Every structure is written in C-alpha cells, then in structure tokens.
C-alpha cells in the first residue's frame, strides 16, 4: 500500500486592522507528492514564510550573488527575477503576503531595504520571529496557526510609533495597483507633484522598484493570476490584450524575462499548486 498523499492549501484574510498592510495568509502542507521546482515569481507583495516541519530550500535567489540555502523563516522583498525553490515532495508552512506599504509598520524598515533579496527573517525581525515560529509549529490546526500570526503582527503594528510610507508615494503605489500597471509614469509623477526623477528615487527607496518596474511587475502578476484561473484552457492572445500587453509575443517576452520560462511552461510546472489553491486567481 502506497504512502498517503497530502496536498493542502488554505488561504485566509488577516485580522481587519492588518488589511491594507497584509494581503492574505496561505497555509500549505504537502506529503508524498512528486518532487519538483517552484518559481517564486515577481509580484507586488513582499514575502514572509514561516515553515512548519522542514526548512525551505532555495536553489537560486533573485540576487544571483546570494548562495543557495535552507531557511526556517524567510523574508523577501520585491524583485524582477524568480527565486527557484526545491520541492522534495514534503514541505509545510505559512506564507504571509505583505504590501510594501506595510513594511515600515510591520517590519520596521522601508520595503526598499529588502529589494531583490531574500534573508533569514530573524536577521530583520530578531528573536521575536523565532518565538512565533515555535508557537506556530505547536499550534494544532490552520485556524490556530493563522491566529498566532495575527496576534504577532498586531502586536508589532501597535507596540510603538513607526514612520509611515509618505502619502505621495503610497498614493502613487495604490494608483498603479488600481490601474493594473497601465498608468503612465509621467502621468503618475504629475499627479504626485514630483518630477519623474524624484518620484523614481522616492519609489525605489520606499517600495523597492522604480515606478516603471513596479508597473511591469503589477501587470505581470495580474496576467499570471488570470492564467492560473483557467489553466486547462489558456487564451494567451486574449490574456495579453486584457492585461495591457501589445500582443501575445509581448506577453511571452515578459514571462521569459520575469519568470525565466514560457506561460505554458509555468502552467505545466505549477499545475498541482494551482489545483490545490496556492495560486489564487486575480
């Protein structure tokens, strides 16, 4: 008799006071599934991962100068190239999806300081994240695990005064998101009252990407989420038009640049994760 296959994916919203700073929590547990490779793709979210039973193995980072390694907890900023994650058929953890606008309040630093890198989370968050990691591992179910994360982040948010992202940068980021990455940078700068250069510098410091790069990542993230919503019947030409690409070739080039694979190649690699709900559609 073969070993039992477990492939769970659970996604929930954070506590109401955290919404706008945290997108969602994703819990995952896999046992007995085929080994493979997962691509941590560019997106408009920072990533915090708290593992449960085994470490996360990164074989290639967005920053090629960073060495591969194992992580019990991982914190990563916005990036333009994928992280490659070894999936040995056995892994579990909770992923916290953070808005760059929440970085100062929840992490104590601007998102720009994490741009393009992955770090052990305790290097930024200190001993507190190790304590939360132990509480998470001791929790009995997903509801209890998400409650642990809620309580920890609420404490970090309220324990002291922290500088907020500047209103013009925050507003520009929100307008880019609302436009699906289609808003022109010169128009965005005009709306903030900044010069293109000043907005670019402020954006890179606070968000981690320039406005142009951020728009590109937002558009790409929207495209791959819509692709995940119909993995068996992908209409790539229609997807390209819907997401603001010039044509399907333009979409293909962006996947090659940002995912290091084709749209169909990404679907083939990630189909099991899409089925289990770990790639929610836009």
């Amino acid at each position: 008799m073969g070993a039992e296959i477990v492939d769970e994916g659970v996604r929930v919203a954070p506590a109401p006071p955290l919404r706008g700073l945290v997108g969602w929590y994703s819990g995952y547990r896999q046992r007995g599934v085929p080994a493979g490779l997962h691509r941590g793709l560019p997106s408009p979210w920072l990533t915090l991962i708290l593992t449960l039973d085994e470490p996360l193995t990164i074989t290639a980072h967005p920053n090629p100068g960073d060495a591969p390694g194992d992580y019990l907890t991982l914190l990563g900023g916005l990036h333009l190239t994928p992280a490659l994650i070894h999936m040995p058929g056995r892994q579990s953890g909770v992923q916290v999806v953070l808005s760059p606008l929440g970085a100062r309040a929840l992490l104590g630093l601007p998102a720009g300081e994490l741009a393009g890198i992955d770090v052990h989370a305790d290097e930024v968050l200190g001993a507190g994240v190790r304590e939360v990691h132990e509480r998470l591992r001791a929790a009995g179910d997903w509801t209890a695990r998400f409650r642990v994360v809620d309580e920890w982040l609420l404490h970090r948010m309220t324990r002291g005064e922290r500088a907020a992202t500047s209103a013009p940068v925050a507003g520009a980021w929100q307008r880019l998101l609302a436009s699906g990455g289609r808003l022109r940078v010169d128009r965005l700068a005009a709306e903030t009252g900044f010069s293109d250069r000043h907005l670019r510098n402020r954006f890179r410091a606070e968000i981690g990407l320039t406005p142009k790069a951020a728009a590109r990542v937002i558009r790409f993230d929207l495209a791959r989420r819509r692709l995940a919503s119909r993995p068996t019947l992908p209409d790539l030409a229609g997807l390209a038009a819907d997401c603001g690409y010039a044509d399907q070739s333009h979409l293909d080039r962006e996947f090659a640049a940002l995912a290091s694979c084709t749209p169909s190649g990404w679907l083939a690699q990630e189909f099991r994760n899409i089925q289990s709900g770990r790639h929610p559609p836009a």
Side-chain angles (χ1 to χ4, degrees), residues 46-112:
L46 284 73
T47 296
L48 171 62
I49 294 177
L50 308 168
T51 62
L52 291 176
D53 301 321
E54 51 278 306
L56 186 73
T57 300
I58 308 292
T59 61
H61 294 271
N63 179 1
D66 291 344
D70 291 341
Y71 292 78
L72 294 177
T73 63
L74 178 141
L75 181 61
L78 302 192
H79 51 97
L80 291 171
T81 53
L84 301 183
I85 302 165
H86 174 57
M87 299 174 65
R90 179 182 177 87
Q91 64 171 1
S92 56
V94 172
Q95 179 177 349
V96 181
V97 178
L98 297 163
S99 167
L101 301 184
R104 284 187 180 272
L106 300 177
L107 307 179
L109 78 176

Side-chain angles (χ1 to χ4, degrees), residues 69-202:
D70 291 341
Y71 292 78
L72 294 177
T73 63
L74 178 141
L75 181 61
L78 302 192
H79 51 97
L80 291 171
T81 53
L84 301 183
I85 302 165
H86 174 57
M87 299 174 65
R90 179 182 177 87
Q91 64 171 1
S92 56
V94 172
Q95 179 177 349
V96 181
V97 178
L98 297 163
S99 167
L101 301 184
R104 284 187 180 272
L106 300 177
L107 307 179
L109 78 176
E113 293 191 22
L114 295 168
I117 63 171
D118 297 319
V119 298
H120 296 276
D122 58 356
E123 295 176 9
V124 174
L125 302 174
V129 77
R130 293 193 291 272
E131 295 171 5
V132 168
H133 186 224
E134 289 304 313
R135 289 176 57 204
L136 198 68
R137 295 179 68 184
D141 56 29
W142 291 118
T143 299
R145 292 173 194 128
F146 296 141
R147 186 183 305 118
V148 166
V149 179
D150 262 342
E151 291 172 353
W152 173 56
L153 292 179
L154 286 168
H155 175 69
R156 289 192 62 87
M157 184 177 70
T158 60
R159 69 181 181 175
E161 293 294 326
R162 296 181 183 274
T165 303
S166 73
V169 172
W173 171 253
Q174 290 163 343
R175 286 192 290 276
L176 265 184
L177 283 175
S179 74
R182 299 191 194 198
L183 189 61
R184 289 175 55 91
V185 174
D186 55 354
R187 180 179 169 188
L188 193 63
E191 290 179 358
T192 62
F194 292 159
S195 68
D196 288 3
R197 180 177 180 181
H198 186 60
L199 178 63
R200 184 168 61 250
N201 290 340
R202 293 285 300 276

